[in-house]
Amino acid sequence: MRRYWFKLTDEHYNDLGVFIPDGSKAAAVKKAKQWMKDNGVKKALLVANSLRTDNLLDVIDIEIN
């Protein structure tokens, strides 16, 4: 069941304009890491929002080496 929608942002919460499909957090993190690697972004925040209520549910800090 798709319960979340995601937005990838920089550390100041500016949207990076990445399409991340609705779905699970694990799949979104994987997609975000791949996009970051492809685009040379070392640190970002993955913001998870509820599809039902549109409320912010989680902010996941992602850093790649």
Side-chain angles (χ1 to χ4, degrees), residues 4-18:
Y4 308 105
W5 65 270
F6 301 96
K7 180 169 54 169
L8 192 63
T9 70
D10 64 13
E11 59 271 0
H12 302 289
Y13 295 98
N14 296 314
D15 190 356
L16 295 175
V18 181

Side-chain angles (χ1 to χ4, degrees), residues 3-4 6 23-31 46 48 57-58 60:
R3 301 181 301 172
Y4 308 105
F6 301 96
S24 72
K25 288 182 187 179
V29 168
K30 182 178 177 181
K31 174 77 174 173
L46 183 65
L57 299 176
D58 198 4
I60 303 165

Side-chain angles (χ1 to χ4, degrees), residues 2 5 19 24 29-30 35 43 47 52 54 58:
R2 297 178 176 186
W5 65 270
F19 173 72
S24 72
V29 168
K30 182 178 177 181
W35 184 90
K43 187 172 183 178
V47 180
R52 190 171 66 177
D54 206 31
D58 198 4

Side-chain angles (χ1 to χ4, degrees), residues 31-50:
K31 174 77 174 173
K33 283 184 177 181
Q34 184 61 51
W35 184 90
M36 290 168 64
K37 182 179 176 184
D38 293 346
N39 291 280
V41 175
K42 299 292 182 189
K43 187 172 183 178
L45 301 170
L46 183 65
V47 180
N49 299 283
S50 170

